[in-house]
Amino acid sequence: MSIESMLEKLSLGDESSLVDKVKADGVEKSGLSSSIDALAAKCASKTEDDAIAGLAAAKALAEGAPGAEAFTKECLTACLEQASSKNAAIRKAAGETALAICTNISPFAMKSLLPQLFAQLPVEKKWQTRTLALQCIGTFNKTAPKQLGNALPEVVPELTACMWDTKKQVKQASTAAMKSAMEVIGNKDIEHMTDKILTAITKPKEVPEIMHEMAGVTFVQSVESPALAMVVPLLLRGLREKATATKRQSAVIIDNMSKLVDNPIDAAPFLPLLLPALETNASSIADPEAREVTERAVSQLQRLKGLADKQMSVRGDTSKLTEEFKKGLAIDDVSPALEMAIAHASVIATCMMDLGFMEDMQWTKNVSAVFKDFVDPAKADEVVEAVRVEAEKMLVIPEEDDDDDDAEELCNCQFTLAYGTKILLHNTKMKLKRGKRYGLLGGNDSGKTTLMRSIANNQVEGFPDVTEVRTVFVEADIQGEQSHLSCVDYVFADEKIQALNIDKEEVVRVLATVGFTEDGKAKPFHAVSTLSGGWRMKLALARAMLQKADILLLDEPTNHLDVINVAWVKNYLNSLTDVTSIIVSHDSGLLNDCCTNILQIENLKLHAFKGNLDEFVKIKPQARAYFSFTESKMKFRFPQPGPIEGVKSKGKALMKMSKCTFTYPVNKTPTLFDISVQVSLSSRVACVGENGAGKSTMIKLLVGEIEPQTGDVWKHPNARIAYVAQHAFHHIESHLTKTPNEYIRWRYANQGEDKESLVKVTMQFTPEEEKLQKTPFEIQFTGDDGKVKKIKKVVSELVGGRKTNKSKEYEYEVKYSGSTIDSGEYLPAKTLKKMGWEKAMKAVDLKIAQRAGLYVRPLSTKNVEKHLEDCGLDREFGTHYRMSALSGGQKVKVVLAAAMWNQPHILILDEPTNYLDREALGALAGAIEEFDGGVVMITHNNEFCSKLCPETWVMDAGHLETKGDADWMLKQDTKIEDQQQITEVTDAAGNVSKVKGQKKKLSKKEEKQLMKKIKNKLKNGEDLDTDEEEFAFEKDLL
């Protein structure tokens, strides 16, 4: 009996014979391929018996005859529509059959079901039908996870629309389907964000907060279409938000993610959505900086679009393969059934192309089976293989071949490189050949030095091991703890030199070849600390020569060199015919005269070019910008400290330690012995010594973090001190959800008072002091009758006021015990010290000093942003990234900026070279040179401190010796120049207020004249101006 007649008389129970017939004769011979419309009509029947029989037959075919799936799937629409039948039995059967078709279809053919499923999702369809379609989509994450991931660009928009539905069942089913779809993203960078992305779809108010978190994600993995499909809806919402900050963050994320798209075809479906929204923002955002960021993202997407347009293959496009199948089958009259089979095979083949399944066996297994009932199996395999070969050609991205010489290949690897949270290079290729000299170019922070360090430290994935290819990083930096060694011993102390069993005679011989001779300028047995920067570079080159490197990595080899030595370096590099060099340099002459190839870091990729710098600049004229480094180098600018009341000389001490000895509680021997130092505005002090010598302990004593057992520590009451400790992060660890900008504004919000001022031991009352405070103290005062009276009182607290009395001493406002109001009375500092209130007076001094620093710059977002930029933290990270997303180096810049906000008079740095890279260190040195306040730094970096500090404190086992120009501070005892007085300040709202300058000190003659003038005014009942009124109060005229 034919299938056609079986279908006419079909009843429940006939399904097994139908399956047997199809399996025995095949879809073509059995007649199923031509009768599939009849089966679909049975499934859609309004009659219960016909519908249930048809649905049972379709279910049996889906489960028992996988070779018929190209035709059985045509019943899916009928199954979905029957889900809204009034008959419960039909509804049940329809649900089971639809799920059977979806779960049993070949994973690579999954996409062929989507048009039927999507057609049942519009709001005008019945909710039962829509719910079943959504349940079917939800099953693919188990049966076809990779293929569902590939289809997410089409699936996500459909599910998103349903998640907003008013019908509860549709909303629940679409949310469940979306959750299951999110399980197949396959991108570890954003997997933890999936719940939040889901929330953003239905709760738009959450978008700004989620965008904040998204901005903190470090993208490392290649970004493919599944990840883009999930993130793009969120980014589109972000671009359409009212808040400029959210629009800006969306643009930043788009810019970052697009750089990690390896295959432009992955991005192609999303470009028509994102580009118009970005372009609209780029032309409408008022904030120029946010507009600039958006324009950057636009150009990045336009770059991707250009690359996507060049590629032959288009994701999900079956038309090219359909033509190839027809050409291969060479059948003149293609039947409708074969047409359906070709369409089905094209969907499977396209999906395999998208996912990179291009092996011949994979295609034979998944594609050939579709044609086995239409042509001879051998012919089917032959046709499929021919189509696979053509498909491979469509996927090829043509690459420029540079193998035009026979040089030995030292390295050919593909890798990703990151520094902290910043991706520097992503999935990029690097090929190096023996004897070539590569100039490495890129903008600041592009990762040039990090790449070379990573190669030298064997940290680049795929790079040959040091045992195969000997790689040496040449740098002139000499560690502080080795600066006492002679040049020969310094080279000999290198672990790599020792591992090669090189003797000292060989070291002396090689040093002589680069100019280290007994009768030369640089002597081999003199300490390396005596060498200039140029000779240090020659020493580093000599050390590299001894290691017989295959690859030399040179970072700014001509820095500090004169013309003769630059010529020597050029000749040396050009003589190395069997050694490969990678050179980072701002010296265009060196790159022109030495380089055979150029490597450029751009858009997270390493691009290779033949020829020297001139040849490269012809291809990329914009590369000239790399050499105007004087403009582009990082610069720090610290706020100037401003005047201190009572201090007219830069050499006057603001901090002193006198004969201080300190022992840690657990030790018997003191850590510090009899230390006496002082610091003024003119101080430039380097504190050096071995580890454990007591340097940090001495600094902690100086700033009041710990208290000496004997000796005195003093600080000027109005001096502001910035202290950046070795372990500087504890300030910010509990504020990681704030941006650096928010953190600084929080920290100084209370009228400039620093909330993070250390809880110093020196500010906590001892039991003896508390006892003194509670003891009544005899206070003298003059009564109304003019007689001096004595009374015993107890001060309960210092209220915060402070004034100068006639003896030029400070008096502090107090509140007496038992009083419910501030007394408005002031007591002299000497009296309060006897009463046990010395530390409280210091606290009042600190607050007043801090507030004085705030008045010059209002605590507005823009001011703080500018200040962070001045301390080396770009506004991108300073205002728009939370601190949890920052690298260690960036966090230190936050701590430094926060310490410098209130314009300190003294800056104390403990090991700044531990946490700042070379470029930032140079910027710090520049800022210190221009800073008008005092600087004390602990450092092992000899080059850094010798450049900045004429005075050195040498700490040796707790004993201090002052070296260098010990009288330098006294020579600076010149009058502080009159600083330009600020006459007005602008607050965050744009309001301008006048600021009074420092009052000029009046001569006795001027004072007498002013007093006479005021007395006349008072006599005539005239009003006094502000300055006159202050003078009158001061002189008791009022």
Side-chain angles (χ1 to χ4, degrees), residues 940-952:
H940 286 296
N941 188 314
N942 188 47
E943 186 183 355
F944 183 66
C945 68
S946 62
K947 177 185 174 186
L948 294 168
C949 304
E951 184 183 356
T952 307

Side-chain angles (χ1 to χ4, degrees), residues 849-861:
Q850 287 171 351
R851 286 173 187 169
L854 181 80
Y855 194 50
V856 181
R857 288 186 305 174
L859 196 64
S860 66
T861 305

Side-chain angles (χ1 to χ4, degrees), residues 50-234:
D50 282 352
I52 288 175
L55 291 165
K59 181 171 182 270
L61 284 168
E63 292 172 343
E69 66 178 27
F71 305 96
T72 312
K73 69 181 183 182
E74 297 301 314
C75 299
L76 181 59
T77 299
C79 300
L80 295 170
E81 289 176 343
Q82 288 285 40
S84 56
S85 169
K86 292 177 181 174
N87 185 305
I90 293 175
R91 286 201 305 273
K92 184 172 181 291
E96 289 172 355
T97 305
L99 290 169
I101 292 169
C102 292
T103 52
N104 287 288
I105 198 163
S106 157
F108 291 107
M110 179 276 291
K111 255 186 161 179
S112 67
L113 300 178
L114 293 180
Q116 294 183 71
L117 292 168
F118 292 164
Q120 302 305 318
L121 292 180
V123 70
E124 54 270 17
K125 298 287 182 180
K126 292 186 177 173
W127 69 264
Q128 296 93 334
T129 295
R130 298 168 73 200
T131 304
L132 179 57
L134 290 164
Q135 286 170 353
C136 289
I137 293 170
T139 62
F140 294 139
N141 77 324
K142 297 285 187 287
T143 60
K146 286 193 179 78
Q147 294 80 0
L148 175 60
N150 178 49
L152 282 183
E154 298 105 88
V155 171
V156 169
E158 298 287 344
L159 297 182
T160 303
C162 293
M163 286 173 72
W164 279 88
D165 204 83
T166 51
K167 198 74 183 173
K168 180 184 166 188
Q169 292 89 336
V170 174
K171 201 171 184 176
Q172 286 175 341
S174 57
T175 303
M178 187 68 93
K179 272 186 179 170
S180 66
M182 283 183 170
E183 290 172 14
V184 301
I185 291 176
N187 189 301
K188 289 186 170 60
D189 298 332
I190 56 170
E191 274 176 356
H192 68 287
M193 291 287 297
T194 51
D195 287 345
K196 291 185 168 64
I197 294 170
L198 197 67
T199 305
I201 294 170
T202 51
K203 295 180 181 174
K205 286 183 179 176
E206 301 281 332
V207 169
E209 179 61 27
I210 293 166
M211 291 303 297
H212 236 312
E213 293 196 33
M214 196 78 180
V217 172
T218 303
F219 291 97
V220 178
Q221 201 174 334
S222 292
V223 175
E224 296 171 340
S225 62
L228 285 169
M230 280 301 169
V231 175
V232 164
L234 174 63

